[in-house]
Amino acid sequence: PVLPASHIKGVLRETALDACRLQPGAFPREKINTLFGQGGGERGRLLLTSGYWHEKNPSRLLIWGSTRIDENGTAQEKSLRFVEYVPAGSRFALEAELPEEDETFFRALLAHTPYLGAQRTRGHGRVRWQIEEPSPAPPILPEGLPHHYPAKLRLVLRNDDPLCLPLTAHPGNLITTTT
């Protein structure tokens, strides 16, 4: 399983916008737009890789089945579905590159982002972020970008609750998200 960078950035942006409404001084809209970019505008300064599962044994995935119950309390026809979850305690590694002046804001944003994955509004996918020193590896940035990115962070994500990340894509386990 992989946490796509686009999902992570979408959840981080959503968290930042929610925090902006509650704490405008701590999470200013201009800073959010600078870090994540705007539709039709300049691209954001935050670059992320996808998060890759550290577990080598995909058989550890949890598969939960459920069905829809009608108003009479019986299972609705053809509503059986299965969803794959990564078990609690799993770890994902990803890297972030951003200008140094954005690092404090980014760290505060991570501290305000406790959930990832599908069904996070229902309590699934509680996570804990850990920042480590990056490994000496070539940068993930494409050549010729207009910004200088001296801050490179290695993030290790540990989920405290099961995280909904399908390993296989078939109609029974595709879950739409709002990000």
Side-chain angles (χ1 to χ4, degrees):
V2 174
L3 278 165
S6 59
H7 173 75
I8 298 168
K9 283 180 82 170
V11 171
L12 290 172
R13 182 183 185 90
E14 179 183 28
T15 300
L17 291 172
D18 288 346
C20 177
R21 286 187 284 278
L22 298 171
Q23 306 170 38
F27 292 92
R29 174 72 114 164
E30 304 78 37
K31 192 74 161 170
I32 296 167
N33 291 339
T34 300
L35 197 61
F36 294 101
Q38 287 182 270
E42 190 174 319
R43 82 185 252 171
R45 301 195 301 185
L46 172 64
L47 297 173
L48 283 177
T49 63
S50 294
Y52 294 94
W53 196 28
H54 274 256
E55 181 66 43
K56 301 289 188 240
N57 183 5
S59 67
R60 279 197 30 173
L61 287 176
L62 304 173
I63 300 175
W64 291 348
S66 63
T67 189
R68 179 173 294 164
I69 305 297
D70 66 17
E71 62 276 356
N72 298 322
T74 59
Q76 188 175 2
E77 271 302 306
K78 299 182 181 179
S79 68
L80 181 62
R81 60 194 172 277
F82 295 93
V83 180
E84 294 175 345
Y85 287 84
V86 176
S90 298
R91 294 169 53 102
F92 293 80
L94 59 147
E95 290 188 358
E97 289 191 14
L98 64 159
E100 277 184 357
E101 67 262 22
D102 295 329
E103 187 177 341
T104 302
F105 178 78
F106 182 66
R107 287 174 180 260
L109 183 54
L110 291 177
H112 280 81
T113 308
Y115 295 94
L116 285 175
Q119 299 182 354
R120 65 186 176 280
T121 58
R122 294 186 178 126
H124 296 285
R126 190 166 40 114
V127 297
R128 215 178 315 161
W129 297 93
Q130 178 182 336
I131 299 175
E132 298 178 347
E133 289 300 315
S135 58
I140 60 172
L141 300 170
E143 293 294 323
L145 282 180
H147 301 290
H148 183 59
Y149 291 81
K152 183 173 183 177
L153 305 172
R154 177 173 166 74
L155 306 172
V156 176
L157 177 70
R158 181 176 179 270
N159 60 312
D160 294 331
D161 288 332
L163 188 59
C164 181
L165 296 172
L167 179 63
T168 56
H170 58 79
N173 75 350
L174 295 179
I175 305 296
T176 58
T177 64
T178 58
T179 60

